[in-house]
Amino acid sequence: MDPLRIAMICDFFHPNVGGVENHIYMLSAELIRRGHKVVVITHSHPPDRVGVRWILPGLKVYYIPFPTIASSATLPNFFTFLPYLRSILLRERITLVHGHASLSSLAHEGILHAHHMGVRTVFTDHSLFGFDDAASILTNKLLEGALCNVDGVICVSHTGRENTVLRAGYRFESKSAEVSSKRKFDPTIWHVIPNALVTEKFKPTLDRVADNTVTVVVLSRLAYRKGIDLLVATAPRICELFPNVRFVIGGDGPKLIDLLQMREKYLLQDQIILRGPVRHSDVRSVLAEGSIFLNTSLTESFGIAILEAACAGLYVVSTRVGGVPEVLPADMISFAHPEEDDVIRAMSEAIKIVSEGRHDPLSAHERVKSFYNWRDVAERTEHVYAGVMNSVPMTLYERIQRNLELGPYFGLIFVVILVVDCFFFQILEWTMPREDIDYVEFDWEQEKFEKVAREETMQAQEESSQRDSRDSDGGVRGF
Amino acid sequence: MSSREWEKVLWKKHPYPDNYIPHTFLSSLRKNTNFKPYTYWPLVLAACSITQHLSTVFIFLATFIRIYDGSWDPRYLVWSSVAIFLLGYVIWEVLEYKTLGYLVKHADRAKTFKSSILVFLALMALSPVLRTLTAATSSDSIWALAACLFILNVLLADYGSLRPYGHTRDRLTSVLSMNAAISSSVVLASRLRDDLSVFALILFSVQLFALYPLVRTRLQVTDAFTYASITIFLPALSIYLHSSPTNIITLILGIVLVFITFVAPALLLWAQSYKNEIRGPWDVAVPQINTADH
């Protein structure tokens, strides 16, 4: 397909670390490799991460000076992003905006504003939300508003797609999608493209010492949603049932204290090892210690940690929640219901499989390698882009109609926002005319960069060798 | 397109496009799983505790007005408070016997009487202080303050019933509610002329706002008939006591009480038909942990 100029918009990006951040980076890198031009727009991290930065391989990142409210998310304010976005989209000649994460108000705003400049929109949802708590109700409403303006949606799992369709406010009379919903539901824009991982980074270790110890690795944020209560309840029972089992637990969080208390109470200091926070670059080395990976999460939209563990050759035991059952074939993972007794049953099964040698780490690695890779993800995303670019854009009237369908009150509020946004855009066109914008004339060229880099290093080597020879002659030192 | 069946998995390469929506789409969606349809009369019975509470507030206000304008002798109020207390205590013991199955121990009974006599004497000793507590404040501020405190009391009161065999701890809101009512009666009592009136009014308020809710929560679970008849008696008394000063208040009070007892449950029933609770695999699971062996 023709090279596109894509702007990834998300509140969550490097220097923060996490699943969404990594997804955006890997996808952008792969799209650049495929000949597209990608920029990332995110909020700044004062004092030092501000302005425009370049990240390898030629990814330009705009850090917009917006303050954050909580967990690196900005306040949804609908209009303040427009001046920045307009300048960036125009000067970079962007043709497609790709927003990420439903808690990112920057992404929502990007989708709201993009149509002024004739830019098409795609949105990726990475998480699952319920419907019954105040926070979910509010964020789901915002998502509903954003998604009625979007041209394409990508979800990371089938369960995630079902969840996002419901959160976008579509209600079906019957359980089947073919039956009409109250609002017009266009099934062609809803895609499922899974995450991927860099399989080379998670190679199984081969030089494991042959003894009968079975090491169980747990790597997660130690929070309620990750099911640490289940871990606290089951770990002592498993240690009692299987004296040859050792737990290695990595991560930090509010539930750490519960784990420490449990270890103290049952005197399991030599069977349960707490590693504290583990950096993403050290994940492999922790995974390499074990042969079983235990995930007790209570909700999970994709479960990249499970995949990383499976790729590193570990047998996986996980709770059957969210999108987890879709991620791996049944012979690589044991499922448990989120109940204490069932987790113990699944763990006993896994310990038996592993200690009998029925799980081959190398073949598991090869299989995961064949399932997931970023090139595949980028290719499938490209298809979504192509579909969006070929579709007919919505007219403003159509947008207003779709916003009105959101509901008697909420729809009206969104129509007002949309119309005010149009006026705001016209004011910007007048005060900051397009011809005054500083357009980007030169793009990143990898070959040129490599050439320059090679020349520079050669020059530096020459200089240093000259200096060395001068030094050995007893010449003048120091610059 | 090949004949291979679509599967809900991500790891398998299948020939379907990424935006293919299978016929099983949203098949794991559950609607209104924990749905318990209400019926009208149990709701009315549950609403009775709100009616009773409102009635006690208005009975208290009527009593205050009568003491304030001097039409009632505070001595009668003291005696009737004592009588209500004794009667209430007998009822409470009967209810305890009914729910727990054994009589209250003699020592406990003595303890109750000792502490009630202590409260009685303490209130009597404090009444001169309480009488002059807000002497420097104008009456208008006191009315406004008392109204606010009573509204707070009504909003925060615990209208639930006592779980059988479960002595649940008082929640913070119900404690706050009781405190608001007692403070309100203290500030109102500080408007009265003599110490005896102050003492009588506060004693009465303790009966109504501190002790009666204890009896009410027990009554609610044991005997629906007695409960309903008390619910008829208390609002009737409150309306009767208010009927003499001004008619408009009687009217408003009557309408509010009827609305809360009969119309509000019907509204809730009607609103329940719009209930649409969505559950599915994306919900945060509730971990089930055996508590017995921990």
Side-chain angles (χ1 to χ4, degrees), chain A residues 281-339:
Chain A
S281 51
D282 300 336
V283 164
R284 199 206 81 97
S285 64
V286 177
L287 285 175
E289 290 177 44
S291 42
I292 295 177
F293 182 80
L294 173 62
N295 169 54
T296 50
S297 223
L298 304 178
T299 177
E300 196 82 66
S301 88
F302 184 75
I304 192 79
I306 294 170
L307 215 56
E308 287 172 356
C311 187
L314 279 78
Y315 188 81
V316 179
V317 177
S318 173
T319 41
R320 189 183 280 278
V321 292
V324 175
E326 303 169 25
V327 170
L328 283 172
D331 56 337
M332 294 175 75
I333 185 164
S334 286
F335 285 113
H337 296 292
E339 295 159 13

Side-chain angles (χ1 to χ4, degrees), chain A residues 317-423:
Chain A
V317 177
S318 173
T319 41
R320 189 183 280 278
V321 292
V324 175
E326 303 169 25
V327 170
L328 283 172
D331 56 337
M332 294 175 75
I333 185 164
S334 286
F335 285 113
H337 296 292
E339 295 159 13
E340 185 182 332
D341 294 335
D342 209 45
V343 170
I344 288 181
R345 180 206 46 82
M347 277 302 285
S348 315
E349 197 183 292
I351 291 166
K352 208 168 148 221
I353 287 172
V354 167
S355 47
E356 282 173 6
R358 279 194 279 145
H359 179 72
D360 179 13
L362 274 180
S363 75
H365 176 74
E366 289 305 319
R367 287 178 72 186
V368 173
K369 212 168 161 179
S370 70
F371 297 155
Y372 298 102
N373 62 68
W374 280 110
R375 182 186 303 167
D376 194 39
V377 170
E379 212 177 297
R380 289 162 77 173
T381 310
E382 237 176 23
H383 274 128
V384 178
Y385 290 163
V388 165
M389 295 309 287
N390 291 334
S391 66
V392 185
M394 278 183 264
T395 59
L396 184 63
Y397 180 70
E398 223 174 314
R399 266 171 217 279
I400 290 175
Q401 286 246 297
R402 290 188 68 156
N403 276 296
L404 271 178
E405 281 171 17
L406 290 176
Y409 307 107
F410 186 65
L412 216 58
I413 293 171
F414 255 82
V415 169
V416 170
I417 289 173
L418 189 68
V419 172
V420 172
D421 201 46
C422 289
F423 281 114

Side-chain angles (χ1 to χ4, degrees), chain B residues 49 53 153-162 168-171 173-175 177 213 216-217 220:
Chain B
S49 53
H53 190 85
N153 162 262
V154 170
L155 289 181
L156 295 182
D158 183 11
Y159 297 111
S161 60
L162 190 77
T168 44
R169 276 229 318 266
D170 282 340
R171 282 179 309 176
T173 49
S174 69
V175 175
S177 155
R216 193 186 64 207
T217 51
Q220 207 171 351

Side-chain angles (χ1 to χ4, degrees), chain B residues 81-100:
Chain B
S81 289
V82 172
I84 291 171
F85 172 71
L86 291 174
L87 180 74
Y89 185 75
V90 170
I91 293 174
W92 191 74
E93 239 185 48
V94 170
L95 291 175
E96 280 293 274
Y97 179 69
K98 265 189 178 173
T99 46
L100 299 175

Side-chain angles (χ1 to χ4, degrees), chain A residues 135-423:
Chain A
S136 297
I137 291 168
L138 286 173
T139 50
N140 289 350
K141 267 292 170 206
L142 291 178
L143 185 76
E144 205 178 318
L147 288 193
C148 78
N149 291 318
V150 82
D151 298 315
V153 184
I154 300 173
C155 302
V156 292
S157 63
H158 295 290
T159 306
R161 178 168 68 173
E162 294 181 359
N163 184 241
T164 310
V165 166
L166 291 172
R167 277 160 59 209
Y170 295 104
R171 294 286 177 272
F172 302 97
E173 294 308 321
S174 165
K175 275 169 189 164
S176 164
E178 280 128 46
V179 180
S180 67
S181 82
K182 280 176 192 163
R183 268 170 53 203
K184 212 175 86 200
F185 175 66
D186 179 11
T188 55
I189 70 163
W190 296 87
H191 302 76
V192 175
I193 299 176
N195 264 319
L197 74 169
V198 184
T199 44
E200 293 77 46
K201 277 193 191 162
F202 297 96
K203 283 206 177 103
T205 36
L206 301 170
D207 50 343
R208 188 168 288 140
V209 192
D211 58 354
N212 65 345
T213 317
V214 177
T215 306
V216 179
V217 177
V218 179
L219 273 177
S220 104
R221 201 159 44 79
L222 303 177
Y224 171 79
R225 285 167 77 90
K226 297 289 174 188
I228 301 304
D229 295 318
L230 274 175
L231 180 66
V232 169
T234 50
R237 285 181 64 189
I238 293 165
C239 287
E240 198 189 337
L241 282 171
F242 305 95
N244 60 333
V245 165
R246 204 168 65 102
F247 278 88
V248 174
I249 301 171
D252 199 0
K255 288 276 179 188
L256 178 67
I257 196 94
D258 293 31
L259 277 172
L260 286 167
Q261 276 174 352
M262 176 269 288
R263 194 170 71 158
E264 202 88 333
K265 186 177 167 191
Y266 295 95
L267 299 171
L268 291 169
Q269 280 84 349
D270 49 352
Q271 263 186 294
I272 297 177
I273 296 141
L274 293 172
R275 280 286 152 80
V278 176
R279 281 186 310 179
H280 193 253
S281 51
D282 300 336
V283 164
R284 199 206 81 97
S285 64
V286 177
L287 285 175
E289 290 177 44
S291 42
I292 295 177
F293 182 80
L294 173 62
N295 169 54
T296 50
S297 223
L298 304 178
T299 177
E300 196 82 66
S301 88
F302 184 75
I304 192 79
I306 294 170
L307 215 56
E308 287 172 356
C311 187
L314 279 78
Y315 188 81
V316 179
V317 177
S318 173
T319 41
R320 189 183 280 278
V321 292
V324 175
E326 303 169 25
V327 170
L328 283 172
D331 56 337
M332 294 175 75
I333 185 164
S334 286
F335 285 113
H337 296 292
E339 295 159 13
E340 185 182 332
D341 294 335
D342 209 45
V343 170
I344 288 181
R345 180 206 46 82
M347 277 302 285
S348 315
E349 197 183 292
I351 291 166
K352 208 168 148 221
I353 287 172
V354 167
S355 47
E356 282 173 6
R358 279 194 279 145
H359 179 72
D360 179 13
L362 274 180
S363 75
H365 176 74
E366 289 305 319
R367 287 178 72 186
V368 173
K369 212 168 161 179
S370 70
F371 297 155
Y372 298 102
N373 62 68
W374 280 110
R375 182 186 303 167
D376 194 39
V377 170
E379 212 177 297
R380 289 162 77 173
T381 310
E382 237 176 23
H383 274 128
V384 178
Y385 290 163
V388 165
M389 295 309 287
N390 291 334
S391 66
V392 185
M394 278 183 264
T395 59
L396 184 63
Y397 180 70
E398 223 174 314
R399 266 171 217 279
I400 290 175
Q401 286 246 297
R402 290 188 68 156
N403 276 296
L404 271 178
E405 281 171 17
L406 290 176
Y409 307 107
F410 186 65
L412 216 58
I413 293 171
F414 255 82
V415 169
V416 170
I417 289 173
L418 189 68
V419 172
V420 172
D421 201 46
C422 289
F423 281 114

Side-chain angles (χ1 to χ4, degrees), chain A residues 132 161 188 326 338 340 380, chain B residues 10 18-19 279 288 290:
Chain A
D132 52 358
R161 178 168 68 173
T188 55
E326 303 169 25
E340 185 182 332
R380 289 162 77 173
Chain B
L10 297 168
D18 287 329
N19 58 356
R279 299 226 155 259
Q288 281 174 26
N290 311 345

Side-chain angles (χ1 to χ4, degrees), chain B residues 55-83:
Chain B
S55 309
T56 50
V57 171
F58 277 93
I59 289 170
F60 177 81
L61 290 178
T63 314
F64 169 73
I65 291 165
R66 278 173 173 70
I67 302 256
Y68 187 67
D69 64 15
S71 57
W72 275 10
D73 191 337
R75 277 175 296 180
Y76 293 127
L77 190 60
V78 173
W79 285 118
S80 50
S81 289
V82 172

